[in-house]
Amino acid sequence: MNFQDWYTDRMEVLRVRSAQEGALTVQRRETVAEGIPCRIYRPGAHGPRMQSTAAYSEGEDKVSCANEADVRAGDELLIRRGAALGQSRQTVRAFAGEPVYYYEPFGAVIPGLAHQEIALLEKEYLDAEKEAEEDGNGGCPPEADGGADQASGGA
């Protein structure tokens, strides 16, 4: 198996950079790479969790991509699920943990397995009432999770 064939998602990497505004130095998040082949997977999934102040959603996803991809701990990642297959129903927004690199062993029986795995931090606080008032569909963009097209059985 070659991991390149397994990368059905595409990732955009945003990094905080310093910029000068007059006499002030400000921090801005800028795109440093986009269209990086990757695959996101879930070792564990949880539904929304409740606490006294707000509900929140939390993920334990990981993403794998080529070792050559420049991803650093703290980078914001926008991962478009299925983008390599012409699908883009879901975009996952997460922050990168420290990458773990796996290298190709010399004389590997199955070549093409070198990759890096990155643990993702996904924690979004939910305010369903406010979001429903703003756009009428619970705060979800129409393309998120398939939108109305998927619900109606469309492609």
Side-chain angles (χ1 to χ4, degrees):
M1 175 187 168
N2 187 327
F3 269 120
Q4 296 302 319
D5 299 334
W6 194 57
Y7 295 149
T8 58
D9 305 330
R10 293 295 180 258
M11 176 170 58
E12 181 178 344
V13 179
L14 295 99
R15 188 168 296 146
V16 174
R17 299 261 171 102
S18 296
Q20 202 69 25
E21 274 188 12
L24 298 175
T25 301
V26 295
Q27 306 294 314
R28 289 203 177 106
R29 198 169 292 279
E30 298 176 356
T31 300
V32 294
E34 55 189 337
I36 298 172
C38 65
R39 176 125 182 165
I40 191 170
Y41 56 96
R42 293 196 164 128
H46 302 286
R49 297 183 183 183
M50 302 298 291
Q51 60 187 35
S52 61
T53 55
Y56 66 92
S57 175
E58 188 172 50
E60 298 174 2
D61 297 347
K62 290 186 177 183
V63 67
S64 63
C65 60
N67 280 334
E68 296 76 30
D70 180 21
V71 179
R72 301 177 191 170
D75 285 348
E76 181 178 353
L77 307 176
L78 298 176
I79 303 164
R80 289 171 181 78
R81 303 295 315 268
L85 305 173
Q87 305 290 319
S88 60
R89 295 175 186 233
Q90 181 184 22
T91 298
V92 175
R93 177 182 171 264
F95 291 90
E98 192 68 36
V100 178
Y101 297 94
Y102 296 93
Y103 298 100
E104 191 75 45
F106 179 74
V109 175
I110 304 173
L113 297 180
H115 67 287
Q116 63 178 303
E117 290 182 5
I118 304 158
L120 303 176
L121 169 65
E122 298 175 72
K123 190 166 187 175
E124 301 286 341
Y125 287 92
L126 308 174
D127 185 356
E129 290 178 9
K130 179 182 173 196
E131 291 172 351
E133 289 172 7
E134 288 177 358
D135 59 15
N137 67 352
C140 295
E143 68 276 0
D145 297 322
D149 196 36
Q150 183 182 21
S152 66

